[in-house]
Amino acid sequence: VIDTNVSAGITVARGTGGSSWLVSHRIATDSFFVYEVNGSGLSTTPVISKAGSNTSTVDYILPQMKTSPDGKMIAVTSSRDNTVVFRSMVAFVEVFNLDGATGALSSKVRTLVTSDIYGTLRSLEFSADNRLLYHSLSVGVDGLQPCGFGASSIWQYNLCYTDSVDFTRFSMVVAQDLKWCFPHLIWGRIQMGADKKIHMNFTGTTMPAVQNPNRIGSYCNFKFDDFQTLNS
């Protein structure tokens, strides 16, 4: 055990000189604890970086963290329960630069902070060319009249923008799905496969995919039934 007060999201990035970095986050703070991994094992002395552009550090509760294919960026999704009387979630996506030589993180760009009504399953994935970031949101609501719903969507962000307003304004929904009365029918976490497509599971057998994730907007070619898996 190297730390116990961490967010759920962790990731690994390849560093320079043959080592790698295990990136973790101290929950409800702006502090990242990064541990070097090399031929001798895992260093228990972390590189500590204070990074993050959101003024409320308590909002930094990170359910997922993802490394870009080139190892130079770390993306996180933040989601904090902000319920007072009515259900509310504070959420945003932020991207950090990672120094492969030192393991230090620095802020790159963040979306504007939003307030969601329902808690969601959030996941992230970069495009293979490191230019685009995909954010998947899925929510299943049971018991809502008349019968609840399951909803999923994928947002695409262009990493050429370094301003939060533009980064958010020029993002776009590239895929979405809504199922009334079936709150369990949502997309799972997104993940790039060896074929460079971004995959997600649906009902355990249908596998939707973003077929060309390096392309902007609808040209990324989302296909709901990209392929079917065999039942075990």
Side-chain angles (χ1 to χ4, degrees), residues 201-216:
N201 72 295
F202 178 75
T203 71
T205 57
T206 299
M207 297 290 290
V210 178
Q211 297 182 300
N212 304 102
N214 291 343
R215 299 179 184 176
I216 295 175

Side-chain angles (χ1 to χ4, degrees), residues 164-230:
S164 289
V165 174
D166 289 342
F167 189 57
T168 306
R169 176 190 300 167
F170 296 112
S171 64
M172 59 192 79
V173 177
V174 295
Q176 55 187 336
D177 184 62
L178 175 65
K179 295 288 189 296
W180 287 110
C181 301
F182 293 96
H184 63 288
L185 293 184
I186 58 175
W187 300 339
R189 295 186 183 274
I190 57 177
Q191 176 71 46
M192 181 175 292
D195 56 4
K196 305 304 180 184
K197 297 179 182 180
I198 294 178
H199 301 274
M200 66 225 69
N201 72 295
F202 178 75
T203 71
T205 57
T206 299
M207 297 290 290
V210 178
Q211 297 182 300
N212 304 102
N214 291 343
R215 299 179 184 176
I216 295 175
S218 60
Y219 291 98
C220 71
N221 295 328
F222 174 80
K223 186 178 180 181
F224 180 76
D225 55 345
D226 188 58
F227 67 90
Q228 296 287 323
T229 60
L230 298 177

Side-chain angles (χ1 to χ4, degrees), residues 7-8 25 27-29 57-63 77-81:
S7 290
H25 169 259
I27 195 167
T29 73
T57 58
V58 72
D59 292 339
Y60 281 102
I61 299 175
L62 315 181
T77 176
S78 181
S79 180
R80 180 175 69 85
D81 190 335

